[in-house]
C-alpha cells in the first residue's frame, strides 16, 4: 500500500511545513522516499531523500543525514 502511503506523506508534509515542523517533515520525506524506492521510482525517492537530507543536516542529525546519503548513493548503483 505504498502508493496510498505516499499520498498520506504528502498531506502530512504540507501540514508540517505550514506549521514549521521541520523535524517531522524530514521523517515524512524519509518515509516517502522509502515508499517510492519500494515502488521502483528512483527519481522520486532521490528527490524526497535529498530534501530529507537537507533538513537532517540543518538539524544536526548526523546519523540520519549519513543514512540518507547512503540511500541516495544506493539508488545510483541500481
Amino acid at each position: 500500500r505504498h502508493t496510498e502511503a505516499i499520498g498520506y506523506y504528502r498531506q502530512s508534509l504540507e501540514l508540517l511545513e505550514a506549521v514549521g515542523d521541520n523535524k517531522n517533515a524530514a521523517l515524512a520525506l524519509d518515509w516517502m522516499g522509502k515508499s517510492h524506492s519500494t515502488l521502483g521510482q528512483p527519481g522520486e525517492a532521490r528527490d524526497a531523500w535529498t530534501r530529507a537530507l537537507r533538513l537532517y543536516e540543518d538539524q544536526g542529525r548526523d546519523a540520519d543525514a549519513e543514512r540518507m546519503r547512503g540511500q541516495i548513493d544506493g539508488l545510483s548503483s541500481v
Side-chain angles (χ1 to χ4, degrees):
R1 299 182 56 178
H2 290 285
T3 302
E4 183 179 352
I6 290 168
Y8 289 123
Y9 293 140
R10 284 190 180 126
Q11 289 175 4
S12 297
L13 188 58
E14 287 179 27
L15 294 171
L16 292 165
E17 289 176 337
V19 298
D21 185 348
N22 289 332
K23 181 178 181 181
N24 287 309
L27 290 173
L29 287 161
D30 189 340
W31 298 334
M32 184 187 305
K34 180 163 177 67
S35 288
H36 279 300
S37 179
T38 300
L39 289 170
Q41 301 168 336
E44 292 87 344
R46 181 176 288 106
D47 291 345
W49 284 339
T50 299
R51 290 176 63 194
L53 171 60
R54 288 186 193 120
L55 290 172
Y56 286 144
E57 288 174 336
D58 289 347
Q59 296 163 18
R61 296 167 67 181
D62 298 333
D64 289 319
E66 188 59 33
R67 183 173 50 79
M68 284 297 96
R69 286 186 201 95
Q71 289 175 193
I72 292 166
D73 289 346
L75 289 172
S76 300
S77 64
V78 173

